[in-house]
Amino acid sequence: MTRSKEYRSVNITRLFMKVVGLWYVETPKERLLLRVVFGYTVWAIVFAILVEGVDLYHCIGDFYAVTSNLCATLLLIMILLKLGSFMFYRDMIMGLIHFAEKNFWGVTYDEASAQILKGYDKLGMTMIYTFTFMVYIATFNYIFAPFFEPQEKNETEKVLPFKLWIDFPYHSPYYEITYTIQSLSTMHSGICTFCFDNFVSTFNIHAAAQLKILAHKVEVIAEHCIGDTMDQKRPLETDVAVLAFKKLRDCVKQHLTLICYVRNMQRVFAIILLGQLLLSSVVICFGGFQFLVSFGILSPPYFTFRCAYSPVNSIIFPLQRFLKVKSN
C-alpha cells in the first residue's frame, strides 16, 4: 500500500509552496505563519521589481541593456501576476489542495493503483527537478556574478548583483547588507518562478493519474463481470449484473467528481498559463537576441534598425518591385 508521504513530487511542491506562503493548513498558528511568509514574498518581489525598474529606466537608449533587463523584469511581472491570480482564486485553490490531500494523497491504494501513481510521480519528479535546476542555475548566476566581475581600478567600488543607481557607499558593512538583501530577494524570486509551475504540473499529473486509476477500475469490473458470468460463479446472472452496476455507478460518480475538479483547475490555471505563454515567448526572443549578439552573429544597431524599419520595408520593397515591373 502507498500513502501520501511516498509521493516525492507532492512533498517538494508542498514545501516550496509553503515557502511562498500559499498552501492549505488547518491550524490558526500555521495560517498566521503562512501569512507572514506570504507578506515577505510580496515584499521580496516588489523590491526586485523596483530595483529592475530603476535600472530599466537608466538603460533606455541601449537596446542590448534593455533586453538584458527585460529578461529578468518580465519574469518578476509574471510572478506578480501569478501571486495576484492565486490570491484572486484563493478559496478555490485551497479547495483544490484540500480535496487532493484528502482524496488523492491521503488514500490507501491497491497494488495496481499504487504502481500507476508511482509512474506518474516519477514523471512529476522529472519535470520538477529539471525546471527547478534550470531556475536555480539562473538564480545563482545573478547572485555570484559579482565575484567573477573583472576588478576595477578603484577596488573599493564593489559590484552588486543588481546595480543601484544611487550614491551608494560600497564599503562595509553597507555593501554586505545590501548584497544579502539582493541575494535573498533573488533567491525568493527564483523559488516563486518555479514553485507555481511545479504546482500546476503536479496537480495536473496527479489528476491524470486518478483518471488512469479510474479507467483501470472500470477494466477490472468489466473483466470480473465477464469472468463470473462465463464461469457461473454466481448463482444468478442478475446478481452479477447488479454487483457490476453498483461498482460502475460508483465509478461514474468518481468520474464526475474528477471532471468537476479538472474544470476548477482549468478555471484557476487558465490565466496563469496564458500569461506564462505570452511573457515566456518575449523572454525567449530577448534571450535569443542576447545569445546572437554575445557570439558576434548579430550586432545590436543592425538588429534595432531592422526591428524598427521591418514593417516599413515590408510595404516599400514590394511596392518598388511592382513599380519597376510595371515600368518595364
Side-chain angles (χ1 to χ4, degrees), residues 22 38 42 79-96 196 264 266-272:
L22 292 172
F38 182 77
V42 174
I79 293 172
L80 208 59
L81 177 63
K82 292 176 182 178
L83 287 173
S85 180
F86 266 67
M87 291 305 299
F88 184 78
Y89 294 105
R90 180 181 178 85
D91 294 337
M92 188 176 294
I93 291 176
M94 293 300 115
L96 292 174
F196 293 111
N264 289 334
Q266 181 181 4
R267 181 181 176 185
V268 172
F269 300 149
I271 297 178
I272 296 176

Side-chain angles (χ1 to χ4, degrees), residues 80-258:
L80 208 59
L81 177 63
K82 292 176 182 178
L83 287 173
S85 180
F86 266 67
M87 291 305 299
F88 184 78
Y89 294 105
R90 180 181 178 85
D91 294 337
M92 188 176 294
I93 291 176
M94 293 300 115
L96 292 174
I97 297 173
H98 180 59
F99 182 87
E101 291 274 16
K102 182 179 179 181
N103 298 281
F104 292 175
W105 310 318
V107 179
T108 302
Y109 295 96
D110 56 23
E111 185 176 354
S113 300
Q115 289 298 321
I116 294 174
L117 280 171
K118 185 177 180 181
Y120 277 84
D121 185 57
K122 287 182 179 179
L123 175 62
M125 287 304 305
T126 301
M127 299 180 66
I128 289 175
Y129 281 153
T130 302
F131 189 59
T132 302
F133 176 76
M134 293 172 60
V135 172
Y136 261 121
I137 288 294
T139 301
F140 289 140
N141 176 59
Y142 280 109
I143 294 175
F144 296 111
F147 297 101
F148 299 96
E149 290 288 338
Q151 292 291 333
E152 301 290 342
K153 294 181 179 180
N154 185 8
E155 295 183 357
T156 60
E157 187 172 341
K158 301 177 182 179
V159 180
L160 290 169
F162 300 95
K163 187 174 182 179
L164 296 177
W165 294 88
I166 58 175
D167 188 12
F168 179 76
Y170 286 90
H171 54 78
S172 299
Y174 301 103
Y175 172 80
E176 286 77 9
I177 294 174
T178 307
Y179 177 85
T180 302
I181 293 174
Q182 287 193 357
S183 298
L184 291 176
S185 178
T186 304
M187 291 185 65
H188 215 73
S189 300
I191 293 174
C192 292
T193 300
F194 65 75
C195 75
F196 293 111
D197 300 302
N198 291 344
F199 178 86
V200 175
S201 174
T202 300
F203 273 71
N204 277 279
I205 287 175
H206 280 268
Q210 293 298 318
L211 291 171
K212 184 70 174 180
I213 292 173
L214 182 60
H216 175 71
K217 287 182 179 179
V218 174
E219 291 178 0
V220 171
I221 292 172
E223 290 176 358
H224 286 175
C225 180
I226 295 174
D228 291 344
T229 303
M230 296 296 294
D231 298 339
Q232 296 182 353
K233 292 182 179 180
R234 301 290 181 183
L236 295 174
E237 292 184 1
T238 54
D239 295 338
V240 177
V242 169
L243 182 61
F245 174 78
K246 290 181 179 179
K247 292 181 179 179
L248 287 174
R249 183 178 58 187
D250 294 336
C251 291
V252 170
K253 291 181 179 179
Q254 185 179 357
H255 192 206
L256 292 175
T257 302
L258 289 175

Side-chain angles (χ1 to χ4, degrees), residues 35-102:
R35 287 176 183 174
V36 173
V37 174
F38 182 77
Y40 169 75
T41 299
V42 174
W43 174 86
I45 301 303
V46 171
F47 173 77
I49 291 177
L50 290 176
V51 173
E52 288 295 304
V54 173
D55 183 65
L56 178 63
Y57 173 78
H58 287 86
C59 290
I60 295 177
D62 186 349
F63 188 76
Y64 182 81
V66 169
T67 56
S68 178
N69 178 283
L70 287 177
C71 286
T73 304
L74 290 177
L75 289 177
L76 294 173
I77 294 175
M78 186 65 228
I79 293 172
L80 208 59
L81 177 63
K82 292 176 182 178
L83 287 173
S85 180
F86 266 67
M87 291 305 299
F88 184 78
Y89 294 105
R90 180 181 178 85
D91 294 337
M92 188 176 294
I93 291 176
M94 293 300 115
L96 292 174
I97 297 173
H98 180 59
F99 182 87
E101 291 274 16
K102 182 179 179 181

